[in-house]
Amino acid sequence: MFILIGISTPIMIFSLLTTVYPTLNETFRNSLRQIISAISTTSYATVSFNDWTPFALFLMIILMIMSGGAGSTSGDIKLYRILLLCKQCIWNLKMKFKSEFFIKEDTLLKPEGKIFLESSFIIEASTYAFAYLILLLIGTFIFLV
């Protein structure tokens, strides 16, 4: 979660500086507060988003979609599933360059400890993420029409 904040805050500051807020201090303060609110799923907005750039709004929506913590009751894709899908992409790329006799043991660290991943975990995460994104696109299309 801290990596997500560290990456998205400078991007948001760059997007909002000089277009919405006149000073770096005000841009940093408002950007960081809204990013933390979006990632923590508290939805505590302290500024109006009407003046924000389209890219900044897009970044906020992406952060809201992928920022549910493991075990939380938020209705979005959990960070655990995002991490699992990203790691699976990296593992697939690495396996393209490995020998066919290479033994692959995919592991992931969870609060319970190190777990060995079965293909069912990856299939479940990718199926859920795909279904979530399809329903999000359908819902967005319905509201736009």
Side-chain angles (χ1 to χ4, degrees):
M1 184 178 292
F2 292 114
I3 294 171
L4 203 56
I5 293 171
I7 292 171
S8 58
T9 302
I11 296 170
M12 184 74 74
I13 290 171
F14 181 73
S15 174
L16 295 177
L17 191 65
T18 69
T19 57
V20 179
Y21 302 109
T23 64
L24 180 64
N25 182 23
E26 188 177 5
T27 306
F28 175 76
R29 188 172 32 86
N30 287 324
S31 297
L32 186 62
R33 181 182 301 130
Q34 300 314 311
I35 287 172
I36 290 173
S37 173
I39 289 177
S40 65
T41 64
T42 57
S43 300
Y44 183 69
T46 58
V47 296
S48 172
F49 294 114
N50 292 335
D51 298 330
W52 281 36
T53 62
F55 180 75
L57 292 174
F58 175 74
L59 183 61
M60 288 293 289
I61 291 169
I62 295 298
L63 289 173
M64 288 178 195
I65 288 173
M66 60 179 267
S67 62
S72 73
T73 57
S74 65
D76 52 8
I77 302 174
K78 308 291 187 253
L79 284 173
Y80 166 73
R81 288 188 179 109
I82 298 289
L83 176 68
L84 183 62
L85 293 175
C86 290
K87 283 193 168 205
Q88 181 61 35
C89 289
I90 293 169
W91 292 330
N92 284 342
L93 287 174
K94 284 183 179 179
M95 288 305 293
K96 296 292 181 192
F97 300 105
K98 300 282 184 184
S99 168
E100 63 184 60
F101 302 108
F102 182 75
I103 298 173
K104 181 180 112 171
E105 290 184 346
D106 299 329
T107 59
L108 193 65
L109 290 175
K110 288 184 79 174
E112 301 87 38
K114 186 178 191 181
I115 61 167
F116 291 97
L117 295 176
E118 301 171 9
S119 62
S120 64
F121 291 138
I122 296 165
I123 291 171
E124 181 267 331
S126 59
T127 303
Y128 181 83
F130 181 74
Y132 183 89
L133 292 176
I134 292 297
L135 290 174
L136 180 70
L137 289 175
I138 290 170
T140 303
F141 180 73
I142 289 171
F143 280 114
L144 289 178
V145 173

